[in-house]
Amino acid sequence: MDSSTNSLDDVSADGSTDYPDRNSTMEVRLQAQEDEITLLKSSLADALRRIRVHDQLLPLLKQQLIAVNPSAARVLNQVSYPDGCTSGRKLSTSSINDGFHHAAAAASQQSQSTVNNANGHIGGVVSAEHQNTLASLDKSTQTEPAMFSVSRHVQSLRLQEALPPGQLMVDVTRGQLHRIPGMEEEEDQLDEVVGGDQEKETSWASSVEEPIQPTTVRCLQRDDFQDRSLSPDEPGSVSASLGSDPNLSCRSGPLSSIQEGEKMLVRRNSEKLGNPERQRKRLDKKAASSANLLTRSPSLENRAKELIASAGLPGSRRGTYSQEQSIKMFIRGRPITMYVPSNIQNYDNLKMELPSERLELDWVYGYRGRDCRANLFFLPSGEAVYFIACVIVIYHINNRTQRHYRKHTDSVRCLALHPDKVRVASGQTAGVDKDGKPMQACVHIWDSTTLVTLQQIGLGNFQRGVGMGSLAFSIADSGAFLSVIDDSNEHILSVWDCTKGTKHAEIKTTNEAVFAVDFNPSDSTNIITCGKSHVYFWTLTAGQFTKKQGIFGKYKKPKFIHCFVFSLTGDVLTGDSEGNILPWAKSAADTKTLGKGAKETYQILRPIKAHEGGVFTLCMLECGALLSGGGKDRKIIRWSADLAPEREVEIPEKFGAVRTVAVVNDEELLVGTTRNAILRGSFSNGFVAIVQGHLDEMWGLATHPSQDLFLSCSHDRQVCLWNTEEHNLDWCITLEDYGLCADFCPSGSVVSVGLSTGRWVVLDLGTKEVISESIDGNEQLSVMRYSPDGRFLAVGSHDNFIYIYSVTESGRRYSRFGRCNGHSSFITHLDWSKDSCYIVSNSGDYEILYWDIAGGCKLLRNRFESKDREWASFTCVLGFHVIGVWLEGSDGTDINALCRSHNEKIVAVADDFCKVHLFQYPCPKPKAPSHKYEGHGSHVTNVCFTHNDSHLLSIGGKDTCILQWKVTGGGVGESREVPASVSSTSTSSPEPPAT
């Protein structure tokens, strides 16, 4: 017997874990926020140091300006800086213009010739006396020059007009060179550095990757502050320029640096004015070497500058628009630059609207039997009722149709069927919202025919939600009352009036696990609970509970009492972890043992050994016979009224142990198993699965390129092929390692599955055999993607590489073609271009990189050239076309996956908060509206459209649920190759329109 099955069968109910709450997620997020706060504190402390240096340089700069142009003194005197502090009074526009125009006029009187600078302002050539004065000041100060420019709301100061003739403002088309404060002593080292590591998109200081256009290069701006500086561009130009420390740009005020013009290079006054040709070569060398150095070691100061420039919190997502048609988005304070395609002429006027398409829940794959009990019932309408994730499924076992009750806001954990066999009660866990705050749990009473909610009970009363198997209707009074046990530490038992929705009584039961509760069918004042090492008999009188504990006496006390039922004679029968069925009866007080005054007790009549391993379920038939379901032995045994065994049957090992049993008729049964399957059968004919699902967290999902098939893979090591038209499982195989990603070859005959160990296998869809196997590194694989023409396979790994394979023989033969090396974190998503020559990829540190595969797996440094490239698929979560899917405050991991429809009209998003979103495509502006759909009880890990866009598949993480959504509206499917199914239908409970 499989060891994993044994361990699953032997697990006790108190050891069964529910879906973990998001506490661990919130702790990780909190730690990340604390790291950001530490970063900001360090950055601010460094900024204060730079401000002090800046304030010390102001008098020298003022003297330099006055020495060059005495007429500028009148303007500068309008702003005072006592003790090096900036005045609160801002320069007016008129005074700035008047002063500097006057200074420029005075300077122009001495000029011998004039030239136009990059801003269209006039600069002159200074006299020899002024040049000597400037040179002496330059050598004495040994400081960096600064470029002054006023805020966007104030006109430029035109500082070049205050320069003497000969100080030229030169147009520059190179990338901007930032210098890291505090690294001046490494100047000699920078001169020696040439080349280096590959440049990263998320580099904080280098702009070498920015496209260099023949025309003026405009920089991305809002009202934030960025460094701007000046440098020579041609041999023979005068290299001296007026300025200050580049760190001055981090200060806001009347002279805040917000340069709207060209990107320029900064040179230091500490560099001697020597041979212009030598200086130019030295600057060019520094520009390249500094870019590589800063890419490898982004400074804290430059990162702080980006954070401050984003004008948002460390976890914010801000979008800024540039005149050079680029967008900068911030995630966790990190800038991500994306270029606007050429077909978008006016980005600001784009309007984001809700898509005309919508989703309707069509089918639910899976059943929650692994850690829940008493969650399968059969209705007189011929339908089975069960749940998974947040959805309660009403499945017609003959017509093979589904209806869905979807009013729960978090994972459903228990069910109870009303005596009228129509009404159903369902309880959910409390859970937490996206901010980590606990939500309120409740119990819904609803009509299984109309799917209308009749009563909502106990909203906010059940701490941490309702326990598993902790609901029961009273029978003696036709279901007037409902008993509930919550999931708090004290496991509070409460009784509610089903009609009024009011609480009748409550009491704390025990700190141990409680597995089941029920009313005595002949007396609604008697309630029984069982769980870890206990059976309690409760009596409710005038709103007060009294408790009597079952006495095991001379018999061994079992570790767990899993279940119980009432016999037709009124006795209580329990099933325990030792495999025994224990009959209990009320007996007279034992005065010899308990002394005088002892009251009547409940004691065991005689134990009956029923199963090997535990007894997980008991079911009483109308004829008085009893059914018991075993754990380890996987048997269902029928017992006579006097508890003599009559018949037995063993369910197949691959389905696990028996979790619960529901009676269809005198012969037929429904069986829920611990391996999340529902079986239908009888003692005579055996059992077959009518519902199946995965056992553990799912991440891998892929749809067939031409058929109504999709494949899923899970941490349970199973790879399953499903039919979306027939709503069933075609086949399932178990691998040595669990799968995390998959993709179908365009030929449709094979599928590749990436595993957790760096190994990947190719499966034949017809034979289910492994026809090829390879291994890339020793870390898990995160994405598999075939090129549209089927000639290549890209394998993204957590070792930061993308491995490229040549594919021949319709996907049956593979050979290594190359490797894409350049990401600084693990690969998360990738897509191929429509011509199968290029790849775009995302990584764990929010990089967007482009690769030329046909050219030898080369990294495309100029990302601007890829802005108009067409992509065969779009699954990358970072990109210009999907900026709008990111919510404000996203931390970069809130979106797990997205998928664009094949008709390129809509994009579906799987988020970390149990929701599926539907956006229009493209959605390149922040805060794009979307339709939101609930149903998953855990983070949604993947989404994928079928080949004809008729359906969308979404898979949950810990909820082990696959939801199949039908795409409606918007003309979707007008040219479908396969008509919609008419053999099976699905309806859901009425709910408000998605928003």
Side-chain angles (χ1 to χ4, degrees), residues 170-172 174 229-233 239 241 264-267 283:
V170 185
D171 182 21
V172 177
R174 292 191 183 94
S229 49
L230 184 63
S231 175
D233 189 50
S239 299
S241 63
M264 302 180 181
L265 295 176
V266 63
R267 76 178 302 279
L283 273 174

Side-chain angles (χ1 to χ4, degrees), residues 621 623 627 636 638 646-647 649 661-671 679-687:
L621 304 179
C623 63
L627 297 177
I636 300 175
R638 177 177 173 132
E646 294 181 342
R647 307 178 69 179
V649 63
V661 175
V663 178
V664 176
N665 51 44
D666 293 341
E667 289 291 330
E668 204 166 18
L669 304 174
L670 295 179
V671 180
L679 312 181
R680 181 183 181 182
S682 64
F683 286 97
S684 303
N685 301 323
F687 290 86

Side-chain angles (χ1 to χ4, degrees), residues 761-789:
V761 297
V762 181
L763 304 175
D764 185 287
L765 294 185
T767 64
K768 298 179 287 184
E769 295 179 352
V770 176
I771 59 177
S772 180
E773 182 176 348
S774 299
I775 186 167
D776 291 308
N778 56 4
E779 297 193 40
Q780 69 183 40
L781 304 180
S782 51
V783 57
M784 309 284 290
R785 191 78 66 216
Y786 283 93
S787 61
D789 58 9

Side-chain angles (χ1 to χ4, degrees), residues 336-392:
I336 305 171
T337 303
M338 290 161 280
Y339 293 96
V340 181
S342 301
N343 59 355
I344 297 180
Q345 300 300 325
N346 195 330
Y347 175 81
D348 290 329
N349 291 339
L350 289 178
K351 293 183 178 179
M352 298 292 98
E353 299 178 350
L354 286 169
S356 58
E357 295 82 357
R358 289 180 176 268
L359 300 180
E360 293 179 359
L361 185 59
D362 178 56
W363 201 262
V364 177
Y365 300 89
Y367 157 74
R368 184 173 178 176
R370 177 168 183 168
D371 59 352
C372 289
R373 58 190 72 248
N375 60 348
L376 175 64
F377 298 94
F378 187 75
L379 303 177
S381 60
E383 297 169 305
V385 182
Y386 59 92
F387 61 78
I388 184 172
C390 301
V391 183
I392 300 175

